[in-house]
Amino acid sequence: MESKKERGGSELSDGPWILMTGGTGGIGAHLEEKLALRYKILSASRSASPGGIEERNSRIVSVQVDLTDDKALSKIPEKKIEWIVHLATTYNVKKDKAMVANLLRLAEERNIPNICFFSSWVVSFPSRLVMEPYLKMKGQCENLIKDFCNKNGKHYFIVRPSVVIGENLSWSRTLNRLWYVRQLIPRNMFRCWISIDHVTAAVDHHLKAVEEKRGESRVMQLLGERESLFHATHTRTVSSTLWRPIQDDVASILLWLVAPLTFIFRMLMYMILTVVSWFSTYLNSFYIQHFRPTDIEEFLSFFNSYNNCLVSGAENMLLWHYTPPWIIEQKKILVTTRGLNKIHKITSETVVCDAGVTMAELLKALKKENLTITTYPNYHNISLGACVAVPVHGHSHQFATVATLINSIKVFDIDTQKCKVLKKGTKEFKNLIFNTNNNTLVLQVDIQPCPLEEFVKTRKRLDFVTSTPDVLIKNAKFGDSCEVRMYVPVLDVFLGSMPGVLKKTPMIKGLLLTATVWNKRNKKGGGVVESSGSLDEKSLRPDSSDVSGKLEIEKVKGDINWKRYVEKSTKFLWSLGSKLIMNTEWFFTEEEFIVFWKYYQKNWWRFGWYKILIRHCKADEFPHSPCYQRNVYAIDIVAFRYQRKFLADIMPKFSKTMHAGKFLCTDPDVIDKQDV
């Protein structure tokens, strides 16, 4: 006998259709209901009836077919099918790959132009010793679909949802059950959670964009927000008559009575799961702190209006060893550009790099070609993408920041989901520099190199207590580049009245207030070339008595390999103290600096016991730059965290401009936040 749905299908023979698999599952049932508002659905299922879908929407026609059998495809009615939407899975690797292969053959035979495949966020998990077959299978199916569509000129849309929450979905029921034992859940177990409404809306929006000739083939991660499993059992619980949580006060009394056993069990589970996660790719996903995509398509798949993602450059020490509370509280998902670290082109005029390329990687590659860049920071693990987002400056008198060397930038606009190239000198380029916000991703950078020069590095000892602001200003401008640095102010104060022998010991000498100057070396005569940035006063030249032995000759301002070694070896140590100390930086005009330095000499102990670093920065033409149309002096001050309120009160009296990439101390009441 002809079923009611089949009769409905004959009435809806005109117009585009969607062939959908997995419509009997939790996500599939919601998606069918959503898509049926604009399309007619052929619901392919191994069962004779999809069960209940008919009553919800008469535009859905059921088709009994086993997609793992290539001979059964003939059972699918001859309709004008615009999309294949494939959600079905058997959790059997061989059968699932057979289903994909058969659907691709159907698309080729019937000229179906578009394919939507529901994969999983498991594809993005970093591999461990044991890679579960299901995780491998999803990635293999994606590759089959991409290769087929690229070869045959068809459109693909691959969806990777995380843990989907909604009515009648398995994880919603699981969270209800876990609520009773939530105190036993280790606090460091995290998942990404997304609403079923967001999943169906994302698919419907993309299908509509393709229909309007706006959509392009793509992979889309649908991750939502990152939240601990412990908190999700409460905040995302869906009430039901079967699994209704008991009252909070009753649960609290019961949990208080078994608190000692609860703590012991949780610690035991924490240790077991942590060890097992080192070997299991799936279990490791509960502890993933960040995602590290390795190609542009993979990277862009994370950024859409449904995900709460935060992009990061190099592995920031405060993020990878100590996750700041604001990231957890705001449920951020970290995505790093470290996997995007290819250098595509090097010539004497231009270098084209991915945004994730670090200074160390760039300088090492340029050195092989006898090239370098005019200015770069001391911290060589800073990425080129970060140089666009925040004012990364070195100590060159010719260029204030690395951004002034950039010729063009390839960016991705999250709102429009489009890529574009911005060229130097244009208004859009200038407005983007140090103003990327959360809507623009830097993908590639074209930067201007220069010939590799030899420099003479000399040091001049300055007295902290007696040095006037004018002396520091003149020294900061000397040579091709210069930095004035002091590591331990208390030593300068204490040793000011001590004999000079102690001051000249190598260990102590490197901690005192010192002006380090680099000048280009005259290769013919061996002397120092008088630089355009140098001053004429002979008295400002570094004292030769402060230089032990011969002058130090460097081709670059600091050894790259040593810098990387030092950073990696101290990164963990720095992270241990990251809850206690913070690195802040302000930009001063010459007049502001004079006022500040006089105050600092008298009240240095109120600012901290650590490093202070002074650099001269030349004016530039970027509206969001601290050097916009003015010369400034950048001063780093490392201080204790408890001093935030003091710094927030005192520093605006001297300077209104803080470094956007350092700790934001001007508002002590907001969540402690550091740009990455």
CSV table of all heavy atoms in Angstrom, one decimal, residues 268-320:
chain,number,residue,atom,x,y,z
A,268,LEU,N,41.7,11.2,42.0
A,268,LEU,CA,42.1,9.9,41.4
A,268,LEU,C,41.7,9.9,39.9
A,268,LEU,O,42.5,9.5,39.1
A,268,LEU,CB,41.4,8.8,42.1
A,268,LEU,CG,41.8,7.4,41.6
A,268,LEU,CD1,43.3,7.1,41.8
A,268,LEU,CD2,41.0,6.3,42.4
A,269,MET,N,40.5,10.4,39.6
A,269,MET,CA,40.0,10.5,38.2
A,269,MET,C,40.9,11.5,37.4
A,269,MET,O,41.2,11.2,36.3
A,269,MET,CB,38.6,10.9,38.2
A,269,MET,CG,37.6,9.8,38.6
A,269,MET,SD,37.6,8.4,37.5
A,269,MET,CE,37.0,9.1,36.0
A,270,TYR,N,41.2,12.5,38.1
A,270,TYR,CA,42.1,13.6,37.4
A,270,TYR,C,43.4,13.0,37.0
A,270,TYR,O,43.8,13.2,35.8
A,270,TYR,CB,42.3,14.7,38.4
A,270,TYR,CG,43.3,15.7,37.9
A,270,TYR,CD1,43.0,16.7,37.0
A,270,TYR,CD2,44.6,15.7,38.4
A,270,TYR,CE1,43.9,17.7,36.6
A,270,TYR,CE2,45.6,16.6,38.0
A,270,TYR,CZ,45.2,17.6,37.1
A,270,TYR,OH,46.1,18.5,36.6
A,271,MET,N,44.0,12.2,37.9
A,271,MET,CA,45.3,11.6,37.5
A,271,MET,C,45.2,10.6,36.4
A,271,MET,O,46.0,10.5,35.5
A,271,MET,CB,46.0,11.1,38.8
A,271,MET,CG,46.4,12.1,39.8
A,271,MET,SD,47.4,11.4,41.2
A,271,MET,CE,46.0,10.6,42.1
A,272,ILE,N,44.2,9.7,36.6
A,272,ILE,CA,44.0,8.6,35.6
A,272,ILE,C,43.7,9.2,34.2
A,272,ILE,O,44.3,8.8,33.2
A,272,ILE,CB,42.9,7.7,36.0
A,272,ILE,CG1,43.3,6.9,37.3
A,272,ILE,CG2,42.6,6.7,34.9
A,272,ILE,CD1,42.2,6.1,37.9
A,273,LEU,N,42.8,10.1,34.1
A,273,LEU,CA,42.4,10.7,32.8
A,273,LEU,C,43.5,11.5,32.2
A,273,LEU,O,43.6,11.5,31.0
A,273,LEU,CB,41.1,11.5,33.0
A,273,LEU,CG,39.8,10.7,33.3
A,273,LEU,CD1,38.7,11.7,33.6
A,273,LEU,CD2,39.4,9.8,32.2
A,274,THR,N,44.2,12.2,33.0
A,274,THR,CA,45.4,13.0,32.5
A,274,THR,C,46.4,12.1,31.8
A,274,THR,O,46.9,12.4,30.7
A,274,THR,CB,46.0,13.8,33.6
A,274,THR,OG1,45.0,14.7,34.2
A,274,THR,CG2,47.2,14.6,33.0
A,275,VAL,N,46.7,11.0,32.5
A,275,VAL,CA,47.7,10.1,31.9
A,275,VAL,C,47.2,9.4,30.7
A,275,VAL,O,47.9,9.3,29.7
A,275,VAL,CB,48.1,9.0,33.0
A,275,VAL,CG1,49.0,7.9,32.3
A,275,VAL,CG2,48.8,9.6,34.2
A,276,VAL,N,45.9,8.9,30.7
A,276,VAL,CA,45.3,8.3,29.6
A,276,VAL,C,45.2,9.2,28.4
A,276,VAL,O,45.4,8.9,27.2
A,276,VAL,CB,44.0,7.7,29.9
A,276,VAL,CG1,43.3,7.1,28.7
A,276,VAL,CG2,44.1,6.6,31.0
A,277,SER,N,45.0,10.5,28.7
A,277,SER,CA,44.8,11.5,27.6
A,277,SER,C,46.1,11.7,26.8
A,277,SER,O,46.1,12.2,25.7
A,277,SER,CB,44.4,12.8,28.1
A,277,SER,OG,45.4,13.5,28.9
A,278,TRP,N,47.3,11.4,27.4
A,278,TRP,CA,48.5,11.5,26.7
A,278,TRP,C,48.6,10.5,25.5
A,278,TRP,O,49.3,10.7,24.6
A,278,TRP,CB,49.7,11.2,27.6
A,278,TRP,CG,49.9,12.2,28.7
A,278,TRP,CD1,49.3,13.5,28.7
A,278,TRP,CD2,50.6,12.1,29.9
A,278,TRP,NE1,49.7,14.1,29.9
A,278,TRP,CE2,50.5,13.3,30.6
A,278,TRP,CE3,51.4,11.1,30.5
A,278,TRP,CZ2,51.1,13.5,31.9
A,278,TRP,CZ3,52.0,11.3,31.7
A,278,TRP,CH2,51.8,12.5,32.4
A,279,PHE,N,47.8,9.4,25.6
A,279,PHE,CA,47.8,8.4,24.6
A,279,PHE,C,46.6,8.4,23.7
A,279,PHE,O,46.7,8.0,22.5
A,279,PHE,CB,48.0,7.0,25.3
A,279,PHE,CG,49.2,6.9,26.1
A,279,PHE,CD1,49.1,7.1,27.5
A,279,PHE,CD2,50.4,6.5,25.6
A,279,PHE,CE1,50.2,7.0,28.3
A,279,PHE,CE2,51.6,6.4,26.4
A,279,PHE,CZ,51.5,6.7,27.7
A,280,SER,N,45.5,8.8,24.2
A,280,SER,CA,44.2,8.7,23.5
A,280,SER,C,43.9,10.1,22.9
A,280,SER,O,43.8,11.1,23.6
A,280,SER,CB,43.1,8.3,24.4
A,280,SER,OG,41.8,8.5,23.8
A,281,THR,N,43.7,10.1,21.6
A,281,THR,CA,43.4,11.4,20.9
A,281,THR,C,42.0,11.9,21.4
A,281,THR,O,41.8,13.1,21.6
A,281,THR,CB,43.3,11.1,19.4
A,281,THR,OG1,44.6,10.7,18.9
A,281,THR,CG2,43.0,12.4,18.6
A,282,TYR,N,41.0,11.0,21.6
A,282,TYR,CA,39.7,11.5,22.0
A,282,TYR,C,39.7,12.0,23.4
A,282,TYR,O,39.2,13.1,23.6
A,282,TYR,CB,38.7,10.3,21.8
A,282,TYR,CG,37.3,10.7,22.3
A,282,TYR,CD1,36.5,11.6,21.5
A,282,TYR,CD2,36.8,10.4,23.5
A,282,TYR,CE1,35.3,12.0,21.9
A,282,TYR,CE2,35.6,10.8,24.0
A,282,TYR,CZ,34.8,11.6,23.2
A,282,TYR,OH,33.5,12.0,23.6
A,283,LEU,N,40.3,11.3,24.3
A,283,LEU,CA,40.3,11.7,25.7
A,283,LEU,C,41.1,13.0,25.8
A,283,LEU,O,40.9,13.9,26.7
A,283,LEU,CB,40.8,10.7,26.6
A,283,LEU,CG,39.9,9.5,26.9
A,283,LEU,CD1,40.6,8.5,27.8
A,283,LEU,CD2,38.6,10.0,27.5
A,284,ASN,N,42.1,13.2,25.0
A,284,ASN,CA,42.9,14.4,25.0
A,284,ASN,C,42.1,15.6,24.7
A,284,ASN,O,42.5,16.7,25.1
A,284,ASN,CB,44.1,14.2,24.1
A,284,ASN,CG,45.0,15.5,24.1
A,284,ASN,OD1,45.6,15.9,25.1
A,284,ASN,ND2,45.1,16.1,22.9
A,285,SER,N,41.0,15.4,23.9
A,285,SER,CA,40.2,16.5,23.5
A,285,SER,C,39.6,17.2,24.7
A,285,SER,O,39.1,18.4,24.6
A,285,SER,CB,39.1,16.0,22.6
A,285,SER,OG,38.2,15.2,23.2
A,286,PHE,N,39.4,16.5,25.9
A,286,PHE,CA,38.9,17.1,27.1
A,286,PHE,C,39.9,18.1,27.7
A,286,PHE,O,39.5,18.9,28.6
A,286,PHE,CB,38.5,16.1,28.1
A,286,PHE,CG,37.3,15.3,27.8
A,286,PHE,CD1,37.3,14.1,27.1
A,286,PHE,CD2,36.1,15.7,28.3
A,286,PHE,CE1,36.2,13.4,26.8
A,286,PHE,CE2,34.9,15.0,28.0
A,286,PHE,CZ,35.0,13.9,27.2
A,287,TYR,N,41.1,18.1,27.3
A,287,TYR,CA,42.1,18.9,27.9
A,287,TYR,C,42.8,19.9,26.9
A,287,TYR,O,43.8,20.5,27.2
A,287,TYR,CB,43.2,18.0,28.5
A,287,TYR,CG,42.7,17.0,29.5
A,287,TYR,CD1,42.3,15.7,29.2
A,287,TYR,CD2,42.4,17.5,30.8
A,287,TYR,CE1,41.8,14.9,30.1
A,287,TYR,CE2,41.9,16.6,31.8
A,287,TYR,CZ,41.6,15.3,31.4
A,287,TYR,OH,41.0,14.4,32.3
A,288,ILE,N,42.3,19.9,25.7
A,288,ILE,CA,42.9,20.8,24.6
A,288,ILE,C,42.7,22.2,25.1
A,288,ILE,O,41.7,22.7,25.4
A,288,ILE,CB,42.2,20.6,23.3
A,288,ILE,CG1,42.5,19.2,22.7
A,288,ILE,CG2,42.6,21.7,22.3
A,288,ILE,CD1,41.8,18.9,21.4
A,289,GLN,N,43.9,23.0,25.1
A,289,GLN,CA,43.9,24.4,25.5
A,289,GLN,C,43.7,25.3,24.3
A,289,GLN,O,43.3,26.4,24.4
A,289,GLN,CB,45.2,24.7,26.2
A,289,GLN,CG,45.3,24.1,27.6
A,289,GLN,CD,46.5,24.6,28.3
A,289,GLN,OE1,47.6,24.4,27.9
A,289,GLN,NE2,46.3,25.1,29.5
A,290,HIS,N,44.1,24.8,23.1
A,290,HIS,CA,44.0,25.6,21.9
A,290,HIS,C,44.1,24.7,20.7
A,290,HIS,O,44.5,23.6,20.7
A,290,HIS,CB,45.1,26.6,21.8
A,290,HIS,CG,46.5,26.0,21.7
A,290,HIS,ND1,47.2,25.6,22.8
A,290,HIS,CD2,47.3,25.8,20.7
A,290,HIS,CE1,48.3,25.1,22.5
A,290,HIS,NE2,48.5,25.2,21.2
A,291,PHE,N,43.6,25.2,19.6
A,291,PHE,CA,43.6,24.5,18.3
A,291,PHE,C,44.8,25.2,17.5
A,291,PHE,O,45.0,26.4,17.5
A,291,PHE,CB,42.3,24.7,17.5
A,291,PHE,CG,41.2,23.9,18.2
A,291,PHE,CD1,40.3,24.5,19.1
A,291,PHE,CD2,41.0,22.6,17.9
A,291,PHE,CE1,39.3,23.8,19.7
A,291,PHE,CE2,40.0,21.9,18.5
A,291,PHE,CZ,39.1,22.5,19.4
A,292,ARG,N,45.4,24.3,16.7
A,292,ARG,CA,46.6,24.8,15.9
A,292,ARG,C,46.4,24.3,14.4
A,292,ARG,O,47.0,23.3,14.0
A,292,ARG,CB,47.8,24.2,16.5
A,292,ARG,CG,49.1,24.7,15.8
A,292,ARG,CD,50.3,24.2,16.6
A,292,ARG,NE,51.5,24.6,15.9
A,292,ARG,CZ,52.8,24.5,16.4
A,292,ARG,NH1,52.9,24.0,17.6
A,292,ARG,NH2,53.8,24.9,15.7
A,293,PRO,N,45.5,25.0,13.6
A,293,PRO,CA,45.4,24.6,12.2
A,293,PRO,C,46.6,24.8,11.4
A,293,PRO,O,47.4,25.7,11.7
A,293,PRO,CB,44.2,25.5,11.7
A,293,PRO,CG,44.2,26.6,12.7
A,293,PRO,CD,44.7,26.1,14.0
A,294,THR,N,46.8,24.0,10.4
A,294,THR,CA,48.0,24.0,9.6
A,294,THR,C,47.8,24.5,8.2
A,294,THR,O,48.8,24.6,7.4
A,294,THR,CB,48.7,22.6,9.5
A,294,THR,OG1,47.7,21.7,9.0
A,294,THR,CG2,49.1,22.2,10.9
A,295,ASP,N,46.6,24.9,7.8
A,295,ASP,CA,46.4,25.5,6.5
A,295,ASP,C,45.4,26.6,6.6
A,295,ASP,O,44.6,26.6,7.5
A,295,ASP,CB,46.1,24.5,5.4
A,295,ASP,CG,44.8,23.7,5.7
A,295,ASP,OD1,43.7,24.3,5.7
A,295,ASP,OD2,44.9,22.5,5.9
A,296,ILE,N,45.3,27.4,5.5
A,296,ILE,CA,44.4,28.6,5.6
A,296,ILE,C,42.9,28.1,5.7
A,296,ILE,O,42.1,28.7,6.5
A,296,ILE,CB,44.5,29.4,4.3
A,296,ILE,CG1,45.9,30.1,4.3
A,296,ILE,CG2,43.5,30.5,4.2
A,296,ILE,CD1,46.2,31.1,5.4
A,297,GLU,N,42.5,27.1,4.9
A,297,GLU,CA,41.1,26.7,5.0
A,297,GLU,C,40.7,26.2,6.4
A,297,GLU,O,39.7,26.5,6.9
A,297,GLU,CB,40.8,25.6,3.9
A,297,GLU,CG,39.4,25.2,3.9
A,297,GLU,CD,39.1,24.1,2.9
A,297,GLU,OE1,39.9,23.1,2.9
A,297,GLU,OE2,38.1,24.1,2.2
A,298,GLU,N,41.6,25.4,6.9
A,298,GLU,CA,41.4,24.9,8.3
A,298,GLU,C,41.3,26.1,9.3
A,298,GLU,O,40.4,26.1,10.2
A,298,GLU,CB,42.5,23.9,8.6
A,298,GLU,CG,42.4,23.3,10.0
A,298,GLU,CD,41.5,22.1,9.9
A,298,GLU,OE1,41.0,21.7,8.8
A,298,GLU,OE2,41.2,21.5,11.0
A,299,PHE,N,42.2,27.0,9.2
A,299,PHE,CA,42.2,28.2,10.1
A,299,PHE,C,41.0,29.0,10.0
A,299,PHE,O,40.3,29.3,11.0
A,299,PHE,CB,43.5,29.0,9.8
A,299,PHE,CG,43.6,30.3,10.6
A,299,PHE,CD1,43.9,30.2,11.9
A,299,PHE,CD2,43.4,31.5,10.0
A,299,PHE,CE1,44.0,31.4,12.7
A,299,PHE,CE2,43.5,32.7,10.7
A,299,PHE,CZ,43.8,32.6,12.1
A,300,LEU,N,40.5,29.3,8.8
A,300,LEU,CA,39.3,30.1,8.6
A,300,LEU,C,38.1,29.4,9.0
A,300,LEU,O,37.1,30.1,9.3
A,300,LEU,CB,39.2,30.6,7.1
A,300,LEU,CG,40.3,31.5,6.6
A,300,LEU,CD1,40.1,31.8,5.2
A,300,LEU,CD2,40.5,32.7,7.5
A,301,SER,N,38.1,28.1,9.1
A,301,SER,CA,36.9,27.3,9.4
A,301,SER,C,36.4,27.6,10.9
A,301,SER,O,35.3,27.4,11.2
A,301,SER,CB,37.1,25.8,9.2
A,301,SER,OG,38.1,25.3,10.2
A,302,PHE,N,37.3,28.1,11.7
A,302,PHE,CA,37.0,28.4,13.1
A,302,PHE,C,36.3,29.7,13.3
A,302,PHE,O,35.6,29.9,14.3
A,302,PHE,CB,38.3,28.4,14.0
A,302,PHE,CG,38.9,27.0,14.2
A,302,PHE,CD1,39.8,26.5,13.3
A,302,PHE,CD2,38.5,26.3,15.3
A,302,PHE,CE1,40.4,25.3,13.6
A,302,PHE,CE2,39.0,25.0,15.5
A,302,PHE,CZ,40.0,24.5,14.6
A,303,PHE,N,36.4,30.6,12.3
A,303,PHE,CA,35.9,32.0,12.6
A,303,PHE,C,34.6,32.3,11.8
A,303,PHE,O,34.6,32.4,10.6
A,303,PHE,CB,37.0,32.9,12.2
A,303,PHE,CG,38.2,32.8,13.1
A,303,PHE,CD1,39.3,32.0,12.7
A,303,PHE,CD2,38.3,33.4,14.3
A,303,PHE,CE1,40.4,31.8,13.5
A,303,PHE,CE2,39.4,33.3,15.1
A,303,PHE,CZ,40.5,32.5,14.7
A,304,ASN,N,33.5,32.3,12.6
A,304,ASN,CA,32.2,32.6,12.1
A,304,ASN,C,31.4,33.2,13.3
A,304,ASN,O,31.9,33.2,14.4
A,304,ASN,CB,31.5,31.4,11.5
A,304,ASN,CG,31.5,30.2,12.4
A,304,ASN,OD1,30.8,30.2,13.4
A,304,ASN,ND2,32.3,29.2,12.0
A,305,SER,N,30.2,33.6,13.0
A,305,SER,CA,29.4,34.3,14.0
A,305,SER,C,28.9,33.3,15.1
A,305,SER,O,28.3,33.7,16.1
A,305,SER,CB,28.2,35.0,13.4
A,305,SER,OG,27.4,34.0,12.7
A,306,TYR,N,29.1,32.0,14.9
A,306,TYR,CA,28.6,31.0,15.9
A,306,TYR,C,29.6,30.6,16.9
A,306,TYR,O,29.3,29.9,17.9
A,306,TYR,CB,28.0,29.8,15.2
A,306,TYR,CG,27.0,30.1,14.1
A,306,TYR,CD1,27.4,30.2,12.8
A,306,TYR,CD2,25.7,30.4,14.4
A,306,TYR,CE1,26.5,30.5,11.8
A,306,TYR,CE2,24.8,30.7,13.5
A,306,TYR,CZ,25.1,30.7,12.1
A,306,TYR,OH,24.2,31.1,11.2
A,307,ASN,N,30.9,31.0,16.7
A,307,ASN,CA,32.0,30.5,17.6
A,307,ASN,C,32.5,31.7,18.4
A,307,ASN,O,32.6,32.8,17.9
A,307,ASN,CB,33.1,29.9,16.8
A,307,ASN,CG,32.7,28.6,16.1
A,307,ASN,OD1,31.7,28.0,16.5
A,307,ASN,ND2,33.4,28.2,15.1
A,308,ASN,N,32.9,31.4,19.6
A,308,ASN,CA,33.5,32.4,20.5
A,308,ASN,C,35.0,32.2,20.5
A,308,ASN,O,35.6,31.7,21.5
A,308,ASN,CB,32.9,32.3,21.9
A,308,ASN,CG,33.4,33.4,22.9
A,308,ASN,OD1,33.8,34.4,22.4
A,308,ASN,ND2,33.3,33.1,24.1
A,309,CYS,N,35.6,32.5,19.4
A,309,CYS,CA,37.0,32.2,19.2
A,309,CYS,C,37.9,33.4,19.4
A,309,CYS,O,37.5,34.6,19.1
A,309,CYS,CB,37.3,31.7,17.8
A,309,CYS,SG,36.7,30.0,17.5
A,310,LEU,N,39.1,33.2,19.9
A,310,LEU,CA,40.1,34.2,20.1
A,310,LEU,C,41.4,33.7,19.4
A,310,LEU,O,41.9,32.6,19.6
A,310,LEU,CB,40.4,34.4,21.6
A,310,LEU,CG,41.5,35.3,21.9
A,310,LEU,CD1,41.1,36.8,21.6
A,310,LEU,CD2,41.9,35.2,23.4
A,311,VAL,N,41.9,34.5,18.5
A,311,VAL,CA,43.1,34.2,17.7
A,311,VAL,C,44.4,34.6,18.5
A,311,VAL,O,44.4,35.6,19.1
A,311,VAL,CB,43.1,34.8,16.3
A,311,VAL,CG1,43.2,36.3,16.3
A,311,VAL,CG2,44.2,34.2,15.4
A,312,SER,N,45.4,33.7,18.4
A,312,SER,CA,46.7,34.0,19.0
A,312,SER,C,47.8,33.8,18.1
A,312,SER,O,47.7,32.9,17.2
A,312,SER,CB,46.8,33.2,20.3
A,312,SER,OG,48.2,33.2,20.8
A,313,GLY,N,48.9,34.5,18.2
A,313,GLY,CA,50.1,34.3,17.4
A,313,GLY,C,50.9,33.1,18.0
A,313,GLY,O,50.5,32.0,18.1
A,314,ALA,N,52.2,33.4,18.3
A,314,ALA,CA,53.1,32.4,18.9
A,314,ALA,C,52.5,32.0,20.3
A,314,ALA,O,51.7,32.6,20.9
A,314,ALA,CB,54.5,33.0,19.1
A,315,GLU,N,53.0,30.8,20.7
A,315,GLU,CA,52.5,30.3,22.0
A,315,GLU,C,52.9,31.3,23.1
A,315,GLU,O,54.0,31.2,23.7
A,315,GLU,CB,53.1,28.9,22.3
A,315,GLU,CG,52.4,27.8,21.5
A,315,GLU,CD,53.1,27.6,20.2
A,315,GLU,OE1,53.9,28.4,19.7
A,315,GLU,OE2,52.9,26.5,19.6
A,316,ASN,N,51.9,32.1,23.5
A,316,ASN,CA,52.1,33.1,24.5
A,316,ASN,C,52.3,32.4,25.8
A,316,ASN,O,51.5,31.5,26.2
A,316,ASN,CB,50.9,34.1,24.6
A,316,ASN,CG,51.1,35.2,25.6
A,316,ASN,OD1,51.1,34.9,26.8
A,316,ASN,ND2,51.2,36.4,25.1
A,317,MET,N,53.4,32.8,26.6
A,317,MET,CA,53.7,32.0,27.8
A,317,MET,C,52.6,32.0,28.8
A,317,MET,O,52.4,31.1,29.6
A,317,MET,CB,55.0,32.6,28.4
A,317,MET,CG,54.9,34.0,28.8
A,317,MET,SD,56.5,34.7,29.3
A,317,MET,CE,57.4,34.7,27.8
A,318,LEU,N,51.8,33.1,28.9
A,318,LEU,CA,50.7,33.2,29.8
A,318,LEU,C,49.5,32.4,29.4
A,318,LEU,O,48.7,32.1,30.3
A,318,LEU,CB,50.3,34.7,30.1
A,318,LEU,CG,51.4,35.6,30.7
A,318,LEU,CD1,50.8,37.0,30.9
A,318,LEU,CD2,51.9,35.0,32.0
A,319,LEU,N,49.4,32.0,28.2
A,319,LEU,CA,48.3,31.3,27.7
A,319,LEU,C,48.5,29.8,27.7
A,319,LEU,O,47.6,29.0,28.0
A,319,LEU,CB,47.9,31.7,26.3
A,319,LEU,CG,47.4,33.2,26.1
A,319,LEU,CD1,47.0,33.4,24.7
A,319,LEU,CD2,46.2,33.4,27.0
A,320,TRP,N,49.7,29.4,27.4
A,320,TRP,CA,49.9,27.9,27.3
A,320,TRP,C,50.3,27.3,28.6
A,320,TRP,O,50.2,26.1,28.7
A,320,TRP,CB,50.9,27.7,26.2
A,320,TRP,CG,50.6,28.4,24.9
A,320,TRP,CD1,51.5,29.1,24.2
A,320,TRP,CD2,49.4,28.6,24.3
A,320,TRP,NE1,50.9,29.7,23.1
A,320,TRP,CE2,49.5,29.4,23.2
A,320,TRP,CE3,48.1,28.1,24.6
A,320,TRP,CZ2,48.5,29.8,22.3
A,320,TRP,CZ3,47.0,28.5,23.7
A,320,TRP,CH2,47.3,29.3,22.6
